[in-house]
Amino acid sequence: PELRKQTKGKGIAEIAGIPLMADTVDNWSQIQTFKAKPDDLLICTYPKSGTTWIQEIVDMIEQNGDVEKCQRALIQHRHPFIEWARPPQPSGVDKANEMPAPRTLKTHLPTQLLPPSFWTSNCKFIYVARNAKDCMVSYYHFYRMSQLLPDPRTWDEYFEFFINGKVNWGSWFDHVRGWWEIRDRHQILFLFYEDMKRDPKHEIRKVMQFMGKNLDETVLDKIVQETSFEKMKENPMTNRSTVPKSILDQSISSFMRKGTVGDWKNHFTVAQNERFDEIYRQKMKGTSINFCMEL
Ligand code: A3P
């Protein structure tokens, strides 16, 4: 079976076996010919890995900890989402093209689908990876509340879609492996959601150094506070509360849902967990990446 159902959007299509929004697929030539610039910073994640979180961190650093400047626009409008398309609104590429340099951009694309100019532009990348089980749980609840995505059906059925990469932006395994394997070939800061939870200040400092900034300890402490889950859940600029219910139905599940490490234990059965671990071993064989599954 495939995860397909009539949705409020145009539905799902594929590029090279990767499910994507049909509008993205329709706009593919514009996306692939996108011209990256050397001073671009591209935030890259598999969906539900802490994208909004790292976006807010990067913006707070960029604005030297000035909260008001970070309130200038909704988080989804501050950083163009390269592959986003939803006509008649301007596409992510249109928005990026209009944006003055230096630009911070966002993508969920796996390495093999990234517009090629990113590889030759010598720009910077920040990749955030989240352990597969929590990512899978978070994506399940997002599928339930997003009215642009198909119904995930039951947790058990969704489990199969996820492990087979039949969810939007494809396989978690391929995505994470792909970015992990090229991390030394480009200017890539590779971060883990779990490290950000465990020691936010340490990870925020890494991001600051990577961005070539130098902020006082007090500013760093302020950024830690302002980008906490609790603060971002209450912040209308980050919590998606202004997105209409016809797109994101937060009465089903909040966009800022739990923000923890280990929620997978409340969803996986013992049998599913064993099966998942075995699939993980096969699919991640030969890679040195190591995830923390609980704090
Ligand atoms: P949960 O569904 O597990 O709560 P993305 O932004 O990539 O869509 O990721 C969303 C996930 O990141 C959600 O996970 C969300 O709660 C979590 N998240 C968002 N902001 C966070 C923060 N400041 N701290 C920790 N987790 C955060």
Side-chain angles (χ1 to χ4, degrees), residues 231-261:
K231 277 276 182 136
M232 285 183 60
K233 190 177 171 72
E234 296 310 317
N235 180 350
M237 294 299 169
T238 55
N239 66 14
R240 302 295 206 274
S241 56
T242 58
V243 177
K245 201 174 175 179
S246 57
I247 308 265
L248 294 182
D249 188 345
Q250 300 213 40
S251 70
I252 298 174
S253 179
S254 297
F255 184 82
M256 294 287 167
R257 195 184 58 89
K258 278 201 175 170
T260 58
V261 178

PDB file of all heavy atoms in Angstrom, residues 231-261:
ATOM      1  N   LYS A 231       9.828  28.474  25.592  1.00  0.00           N
ATOM      2  CA  LYS A 231       9.724  29.823  25.008  1.00  0.00           C
ATOM      3  C   LYS A 231       9.223  29.745  23.563  1.00  0.00           C
ATOM      4  O   LYS A 231       8.351  30.517  23.159  1.00  0.00           O
ATOM      5  CB  LYS A 231      11.095  30.529  25.031  1.00  0.00           C
ATOM      6  CG  LYS A 231      11.415  31.170  26.343  1.00  0.00           C
ATOM      7  CD  LYS A 231      10.771  32.567  26.417  1.00  0.00           C
ATOM      8  CE  LYS A 231      11.132  33.228  27.728  1.00  0.00           C
ATOM      9  NZ  LYS A 231      11.521  34.609  27.605  1.00  0.00           N
ATOM     10  N   MET A 232       9.766  28.832  22.819  1.00  0.00           N
ATOM     11  CA  MET A 232       9.384  28.754  21.398  1.00  0.00           C
ATOM     12  C   MET A 232       7.956  28.251  21.223  1.00  0.00           C
ATOM     13  O   MET A 232       7.296  28.580  20.249  1.00  0.00           O
ATOM     14  CB  MET A 232      10.388  27.903  20.619  1.00  0.00           C
ATOM     15  CG  MET A 232      11.694  28.652  20.381  1.00  0.00           C
ATOM     16  SD  MET A 232      12.895  27.756  19.386  1.00  0.00           S
ATOM     17  CE  MET A 232      12.007  27.522  17.849  1.00  0.00           C
ATOM     18  N   LYS A 233       7.475  27.487  22.200  1.00  0.00           N
ATOM     19  CA  LYS A 233       6.085  27.013  22.147  1.00  0.00           C
ATOM     20  C   LYS A 233       5.104  28.173  22.358  1.00  0.00           C
ATOM     21  O   LYS A 233       4.011  28.192  21.797  1.00  0.00           O
ATOM     22  CB  LYS A 233       5.868  25.932  23.218  1.00  0.00           C
ATOM     23  CG  LYS A 233       4.535  25.204  23.103  1.00  0.00           C
ATOM     24  CD  LYS A 233       4.428  24.102  24.159  1.00  0.00           C
ATOM     25  CE  LYS A 233       3.033  23.514  24.224  1.00  0.00           C
ATOM     26  NZ  LYS A 233       2.673  22.667  23.084  1.00  0.00           N
ATOM     27  N   GLU A 234       5.517  29.149  23.169  1.00  0.00           N
ATOM     28  CA  GLU A 234       4.661  30.317  23.446  1.00  0.00           C
ATOM     29  C   GLU A 234       4.847  31.437  22.432  1.00  0.00           C
ATOM     30  O   GLU A 234       4.062  32.377  22.406  1.00  0.00           O
ATOM     31  CB  GLU A 234       4.975  30.873  24.851  1.00  0.00           C
ATOM     32  CG  GLU A 234       4.666  29.929  25.995  1.00  0.00           C
ATOM     33  CD  GLU A 234       3.263  29.349  25.914  1.00  0.00           C
ATOM     34  OE1 GLU A 234       2.329  30.114  25.611  1.00  0.00           O
ATOM     35  OE2 GLU A 234       3.106  28.121  26.121  1.00  0.00           O
ATOM     36  N   ASN A 235       5.896  31.358  21.631  1.00  0.00           N
ATOM     37  CA  ASN A 235       6.235  32.456  20.714  1.00  0.00           C
ATOM     38  C   ASN A 235       5.459  32.320  19.394  1.00  0.00           C
ATOM     39  O   ASN A 235       5.678  31.383  18.639  1.00  0.00           O
ATOM     40  CB  ASN A 235       7.754  32.399  20.474  1.00  0.00           C
ATOM     41  CG  ASN A 235       8.246  33.485  19.544  1.00  0.00           C
ATOM     42  OD1 ASN A 235       7.452  34.196  18.908  1.00  0.00           O
ATOM     43  ND2 ASN A 235       9.555  33.614  19.445  1.00  0.00           N
ATOM     44  N   PRO A 236       4.541  33.275  19.129  1.00  0.00           N
ATOM     45  CA  PRO A 236       3.730  33.165  17.904  1.00  0.00           C
ATOM     46  C   PRO A 236       4.554  33.229  16.618  1.00  0.00           C
ATOM     47  O   PRO A 236       4.082  32.818  15.560  1.00  0.00           O
ATOM     48  CB  PRO A 236       2.763  34.363  17.992  1.00  0.00           C
ATOM     49  CG  PRO A 236       3.294  35.258  19.038  1.00  0.00           C
ATOM     50  CD  PRO A 236       4.213  34.473  19.923  1.00  0.00           C
ATOM     51  N   MET A 237       5.789  33.729  16.701  1.00  0.00           N
ATOM     52  CA  MET A 237       6.644  33.791  15.512  1.00  0.00           C
ATOM     53  C   MET A 237       7.295  32.440  15.203  1.00  0.00           C
ATOM     54  O   MET A 237       7.855  32.249  14.139  1.00  0.00           O
ATOM     55  CB  MET A 237       7.739  34.853  15.708  1.00  0.00           C
ATOM     56  CG  MET A 237       7.195  36.246  15.806  1.00  0.00           C
ATOM     57  SD  MET A 237       6.313  36.683  14.278  1.00  0.00           S
ATOM     58  CE  MET A 237       5.523  38.176  14.809  1.00  0.00           C
ATOM     59  N   THR A 238       7.247  31.521  16.190  1.00  0.00           N
ATOM     60  CA  THR A 238       7.883  30.217  15.948  1.00  0.00           C
ATOM     61  C   THR A 238       6.916  29.032  16.079  1.00  0.00           C
ATOM     62  O   THR A 238       7.235  27.937  15.617  1.00  0.00           O
ATOM     63  CB  THR A 238       9.053  29.970  16.943  1.00  0.00           C
ATOM     64  OG1 THR A 238       8.562  30.102  18.279  1.00  0.00           O
ATOM     65  CG2 THR A 238      10.194  30.930  16.716  1.00  0.00           C
ATOM     66  N   ASN A 239       5.750  29.252  16.717  1.00  0.00           N
ATOM     67  CA  ASN A 239       4.901  28.080  17.029  1.00  0.00           C
ATOM     68  C   ASN A 239       3.846  27.744  15.968  1.00  0.00           C
ATOM     69  O   ASN A 239       3.007  26.870  16.187  1.00  0.00           O
ATOM     70  CB  ASN A 239       4.250  28.249  18.413  1.00  0.00           C
ATOM     71  CG  ASN A 239       3.248  29.401  18.455  1.00  0.00           C
ATOM     72  OD1 ASN A 239       2.838  29.922  17.415  1.00  0.00           O
ATOM     73  ND2 ASN A 239       2.843  29.792  19.654  1.00  0.00           N
ATOM     74  N   ARG A 240       3.893  28.452  14.843  1.00  0.00           N
ATOM     75  CA  ARG A 240       2.987  28.208  13.701  1.00  0.00           C
ATOM     76  C   ARG A 240       1.505  28.480  14.030  1.00  0.00           C
ATOM     77  O   ARG A 240       0.626  28.058  13.295  1.00  0.00           O
ATOM     78  CB  ARG A 240       3.095  26.762  13.166  1.00  0.00           C
ATOM     79  CG  ARG A 240       4.476  26.312  12.699  1.00  0.00           C
ATOM     80  CD  ARG A 240       4.974  27.075  11.482  1.00  0.00           C
ATOM     81  NE  ARG A 240       5.933  26.319  10.668  1.00  0.00           N
ATOM     82  CZ  ARG A 240       7.250  26.261  10.882  1.00  0.00           C
ATOM     83  NH1 ARG A 240       7.791  26.904  11.912  1.00  0.00           N
ATOM     84  NH2 ARG A 240       8.026  25.563  10.069  1.00  0.00           N
ATOM     85  N   SER A 241       1.256  29.224  15.144  1.00  0.00           N
ATOM     86  CA  SER A 241      -0.146  29.445  15.532  1.00  0.00           C
ATOM     87  C   SER A 241      -0.913  30.290  14.515  1.00  0.00           C
ATOM     88  O   SER A 241      -2.137  30.278  14.503  1.00  0.00           O
ATOM     89  CB  SER A 241      -0.215  30.104  16.915  1.00  0.00           C
ATOM     90  OG  SER A 241       0.531  31.301  16.911  1.00  0.00           O
ATOM     91  N   THR A 242      -0.192  31.018  13.661  1.00  0.00           N
ATOM     92  CA  THR A 242      -0.884  31.861  12.679  1.00  0.00           C
ATOM     93  C   THR A 242      -1.174  31.115  11.371  1.00  0.00           C
ATOM     94  O   THR A 242      -1.828  31.650  10.490  1.00  0.00           O
ATOM     95  CB  THR A 242      -0.055  33.126  12.360  1.00  0.00           C
ATOM     96  OG1 THR A 242       1.221  32.700  11.880  1.00  0.00           O
ATOM     97  CG2 THR A 242       0.146  33.989  13.598  1.00  0.00           C
ATOM     98  N   VAL A 243      -0.681  29.897  11.268  1.00  0.00           N
ATOM     99  CA  VAL A 243      -0.992  29.092  10.070  1.00  0.00           C
ATOM    100  C   VAL A 243      -2.444  28.618  10.194  1.00  0.00           C
ATOM    101  O   VAL A 243      -2.840  28.106  11.239  1.00  0.00           O
ATOM    102  CB  VAL A 243      -0.033  27.878   9.948  1.00  0.00           C
ATOM    103  CG1 VAL A 243      -0.407  26.995   8.757  1.00  0.00           C
ATOM    104  CG2 VAL A 243       1.418  28.346   9.837  1.00  0.00           C
ATOM    105  N   PRO A 244      -3.258  28.821   9.149  1.00  0.00           N
ATOM    106  CA  PRO A 244      -4.671  28.425   9.269  1.00  0.00           C
ATOM    107  C   PRO A 244      -4.856  26.936   9.577  1.00  0.00           C
ATOM    108  O   PRO A 244      -4.048  26.097   9.170  1.00  0.00           O
ATOM    109  CB  PRO A 244      -5.272  28.771   7.908  1.00  0.00           C
ATOM    110  CG  PRO A 244      -4.183  29.320   7.067  1.00  0.00           C
ATOM    111  CD  PRO A 244      -2.925  29.397   7.852  1.00  0.00           C
ATOM    112  N   LYS A 245      -5.950  26.678  10.282  1.00  0.00           N
ATOM    113  CA  LYS A 245      -6.292  25.308  10.666  1.00  0.00           C
ATOM    114  C   LYS A 245      -6.495  24.410   9.442  1.00  0.00           C
ATOM    115  O   LYS A 245      -6.318  23.193   9.501  1.00  0.00           O
ATOM    116  CB  LYS A 245      -7.577  25.365  11.487  1.00  0.00           C
ATOM    117  CG  LYS A 245      -7.813  24.164  12.360  1.00  0.00           C
ATOM    118  CD  LYS A 245      -9.041  24.380  13.240  1.00  0.00           C
ATOM    119  CE  LYS A 245      -9.348  23.114  14.020  1.00  0.00           C
ATOM    120  NZ  LYS A 245     -10.494  23.262  14.911  1.00  0.00           N
ATOM    121  N   SER A 246      -6.866  25.034   8.322  1.00  0.00           N
ATOM    122  CA  SER A 246      -7.059  24.256   7.091  1.00  0.00           C
ATOM    123  C   SER A 246      -5.731  23.734   6.538  1.00  0.00           C
ATOM    124  O   SER A 246      -5.703  22.888   5.648  1.00  0.00           O
ATOM    125  CB  SER A 246      -7.733  25.124   6.029  1.00  0.00           C
ATOM    126  OG  SER A 246      -6.955  26.277   5.788  1.00  0.00           O
ATOM    127  N   ILE A 247      -4.616  24.232   7.070  1.00  0.00           N
ATOM    128  CA  ILE A 247      -3.285  23.748   6.650  1.00  0.00           C
ATOM    129  C   ILE A 247      -2.664  22.916   7.777  1.00  0.00           C
ATOM    130  O   ILE A 247      -2.248  21.782   7.565  1.00  0.00           O
ATOM    131  CB  ILE A 247      -2.336  24.930   6.321  1.00  0.00           C
ATOM    132  CG1 ILE A 247      -2.997  25.900   5.331  1.00  0.00           C
ATOM    133  CG2 ILE A 247      -0.979  24.409   5.851  1.00  0.00           C
ATOM    134  CD1 ILE A 247      -2.699  25.727   3.887  1.00  0.00           C
ATOM    135  N   LEU A 248      -2.576  23.509   8.982  1.00  0.00           N
ATOM    136  CA  LEU A 248      -2.051  22.784  10.146  1.00  0.00           C
ATOM    137  C   LEU A 248      -3.114  22.802  11.239  1.00  0.00           C
ATOM    138  O   LEU A 248      -3.396  23.849  11.809  1.00  0.00           O
ATOM    139  CB  LEU A 248      -0.768  23.440  10.682  1.00  0.00           C
ATOM    140  CG  LEU A 248       0.482  23.423   9.817  1.00  0.00           C
ATOM    141  CD1 LEU A 248       1.646  24.088  10.551  1.00  0.00           C
ATOM    142  CD2 LEU A 248       0.878  22.002   9.401  1.00  0.00           C
ATOM    143  N   ASP A 249      -3.657  21.666  11.546  1.00  0.00           N
ATOM    144  CA  ASP A 249      -4.716  21.596  12.556  1.00  0.00           C
ATOM    145  C   ASP A 249      -4.098  21.269  13.918  1.00  0.00           C
ATOM    146  O   ASP A 249      -3.901  20.092  14.267  1.00  0.00           O
ATOM    147  CB  ASP A 249      -5.761  20.552  12.155  1.00  0.00           C
ATOM    148  CG  ASP A 249      -6.976  20.609  13.081  1.00  0.00           C
ATOM    149  OD1 ASP A 249      -6.876  21.241  14.164  1.00  0.00           O
ATOM    150  OD2 ASP A 249      -8.010  20.022  12.732  1.00  0.00           O
ATOM    151  N   GLN A 250      -3.801  22.340  14.663  1.00  0.00           N
ATOM    152  CA  GLN A 250      -3.116  22.148  15.946  1.00  0.00           C
ATOM    153  C   GLN A 250      -4.055  21.659  17.045  1.00  0.00           C
ATOM    154  O   GLN A 250      -3.613  21.406  18.160  1.00  0.00           O
ATOM    155  CB  GLN A 250      -2.363  23.428  16.344  1.00  0.00           C
ATOM    156  CG  GLN A 250      -1.319  23.818  15.293  1.00  0.00           C
ATOM    157  CD  GLN A 250      -0.073  24.475  15.871  1.00  0.00           C
ATOM    158  OE1 GLN A 250       0.446  24.092  16.915  1.00  0.00           O
ATOM    159  NE2 GLN A 250       0.450  25.474  15.164  1.00  0.00           N
ATOM    160  N   SER A 251      -5.345  21.499  16.726  1.00  0.00           N
ATOM    161  CA  SER A 251      -6.223  20.857  17.706  1.00  0.00           C
ATOM    162  C   SER A 251      -5.985  19.339  17.687  1.00  0.00           C
ATOM    163  O   SER A 251      -6.303  18.633  18.638  1.00  0.00           O
ATOM    164  CB  SER A 251      -7.694  21.183  17.418  1.00  0.00           C
ATOM    165  OG  SER A 251      -8.122  20.532  16.243  1.00  0.00           O
ATOM    166  N   ILE A 252      -5.383  18.842  16.619  1.00  0.00           N
ATOM    167  CA  ILE A 252      -5.044  17.407  16.543  1.00  0.00           C
ATOM    168  C   ILE A 252      -3.711  17.152  17.253  1.00  0.00           C
ATOM    169  O   ILE A 252      -3.581  16.230  18.057  1.00  0.00           O
ATOM    170  CB  ILE A 252      -4.981  16.942  15.069  1.00  0.00           C
ATOM    171  CG1 ILE A 252      -6.356  17.120  14.402  1.00  0.00           C
ATOM    172  CG2 ILE A 252      -4.500  15.490  14.973  1.00  0.00           C
ATOM    173  CD1 ILE A 252      -6.366  16.815  12.914  1.00  0.00           C
ATOM    174  N   SER A 253      -2.719  17.972  16.954  1.00  0.00           N
ATOM    175  CA  SER A 253      -1.406  17.861  17.594  1.00  0.00           C
ATOM    176  C   SER A 253      -0.695  19.201  17.432  1.00  0.00           C
ATOM    177  O   SER A 253      -0.792  19.805  16.365  1.00  0.00           O
ATOM    178  CB  SER A 253      -0.606  16.729  16.934  1.00  0.00           C
ATOM    179  OG  SER A 253       0.671  16.622  17.515  1.00  0.00           O
ATOM    180  N   SER A 254      -0.001  19.652  18.477  1.00  0.00           N
ATOM    181  CA  SER A 254       0.703  20.937  18.388  1.00  0.00           C
ATOM    182  C   SER A 254       1.922  20.827  17.497  1.00  0.00           C
ATOM    183  O   SER A 254       2.576  19.785  17.473  1.00  0.00           O
ATOM    184  CB  SER A 254       1.213  21.366  19.768  1.00  0.00           C
ATOM    185  OG  SER A 254       0.155  21.576  20.630  1.00  0.00           O
ATOM    186  N   PHE A 255       2.244  21.937  16.833  1.00  0.00           N
ATOM    187  CA  PHE A 255       3.505  21.950  16.077  1.00  0.00           C
ATOM    188  C   PHE A 255       4.660  21.814  17.072  1.00  0.00           C
ATOM    189  O   PHE A 255       5.578  21.023  16.875  1.00  0.00           O
ATOM    190  CB  PHE A 255       3.640  23.244  15.263  1.00  0.00           C
ATOM    191  CG  PHE A 255       4.874  23.244  14.419  1.00  0.00           C
ATOM    192  CD1 PHE A 255       4.890  22.601  13.195  1.00  0.00           C
ATOM    193  CD2 PHE A 255       6.043  23.830  14.878  1.00  0.00           C
ATOM    194  CE1 PHE A 255       6.054  22.551  12.438  1.00  0.00           C
ATOM    195  CE2 PHE A 255       7.203  23.783  14.128  1.00  0.00           C
ATOM    196  CZ  PHE A 255       7.212  23.150  12.900  1.00  0.00           C
ATOM    197  N   MET A 256       4.606  22.579  18.154  1.00  0.00           N
ATOM    198  CA  MET A 256       5.574  22.430  19.251  1.00  0.00           C
ATOM    199  C   MET A 256       4.970  21.386  20.191  1.00  0.00           C
ATOM    200  O   MET A 256       4.268  21.721  21.145  1.00  0.00           O
ATOM    201  CB  MET A 256       5.748  23.767  19.983  1.00  0.00           C
ATOM    202  CG  MET A 256       6.390  24.842  19.139  1.00  0.00           C
ATOM    203  SD  MET A 256       8.145  24.524  18.919  1.00  0.00           S
ATOM    204  CE  MET A 256       8.527  25.683  17.609  1.00  0.00           C
ATOM    205  N   ARG A 257       5.213  20.149  19.900  1.00  0.00           N
ATOM    206  CA  ARG A 257       4.471  19.047  20.509  1.00  0.00           C
ATOM    207  C   ARG A 257       5.029  18.663  21.874  1.00  0.00           C
ATOM    208  O   ARG A 257       4.385  18.871  22.898  1.00  0.00           O
ATOM    209  CB  ARG A 257       4.490  17.848  19.538  1.00  0.00           C
ATOM    210  CG  ARG A 257       3.485  16.741  19.843  1.00  0.00           C
ATOM    211  CD  ARG A 257       3.687  15.594  18.860  1.00  0.00           C
ATOM    212  NE  ARG A 257       5.044  15.065  18.923  1.00  0.00           N
ATOM    213  CZ  ARG A 257       5.438  14.078  19.738  1.00  0.00           C
ATOM    214  NH1 ARG A 257       4.573  13.482  20.530  1.00  0.00           N
ATOM    215  NH2 ARG A 257       6.702  13.687  19.747  1.00  0.00           N
ATOM    216  N   LYS A 258       6.221  18.084  21.919  1.00  0.00           N
ATOM    217  CA  LYS A 258       6.842  17.688  23.193  1.00  0.00           C
ATOM    218  C   LYS A 258       8.262  18.218  23.338  1.00  0.00           C
ATOM    219  O   LYS A 258       8.685  18.586  24.417  1.00  0.00           O
ATOM    220  CB  LYS A 258       6.868  16.161  23.309  1.00  0.00           C
ATOM    221  CG  LYS A 258       5.572  15.549  23.800  1.00  0.00           C
ATOM    222  CD  LYS A 258       5.829  14.164  24.357  1.00  0.00           C
ATOM    223  CE  LYS A 258       4.571  13.573  24.968  1.00  0.00           C
ATOM    224  NZ  LYS A 258       4.758  12.139  25.293  1.00  0.00           N
ATOM    225  N   GLY A 259       9.011  18.132  22.252  1.00  0.00           N
ATOM    226  CA  GLY A 259      10.379  18.637  22.271  1.00  0.00           C
ATOM    227  C   GLY A 259      11.294  17.884  23.216  1.00  0.00           C
ATOM    228  O   GLY A 259      12.108  18.489  23.908  1.00  0.00           O
ATOM    229  N   THR A 260      11.164  16.566  23.250  1.00  0.00           N
ATOM    230  CA  THR A 260      11.995  15.764  24.165  1.00  0.00           C
ATOM    231  C   THR A 260      12.763  14.683  23.400  1.00  0.00           C
ATOM    232  O   THR A 260      12.516  14.441  22.219  1.00  0.00           O
ATOM    233  CB  THR A 260      11.125  15.062  25.236  1.00  0.00           C
ATOM    234  OG1 THR A 260      10.159  14.246  24.557  1.00  0.00           O
ATOM    235  CG2 THR A 260      10.404  16.064  26.125  1.00  0.00           C
ATOM    236  N   VAL A 261      13.670  14.041  24.122  1.00  0.00           N
ATOM    237  CA  VAL A 261      14.399  12.886  23.592  1.00  0.00           C
ATOM    238  C   VAL A 261      13.813  11.650  24.273  1.00  0.00           C
ATOM    239  O   VAL A 261      13.697  11.626  25.504  1.00  0.00           O
ATOM    240  CB  VAL A 261      15.911  12.999  23.887  1.00  0.00           C
ATOM    241  CG1 VAL A 261      16.663  11.768  23.380  1.00  0.00           C
ATOM    242  CG2 VAL A 261      16.481  14.276  23.264  1.00  0.00           C
TER     243      VAL A 261
END
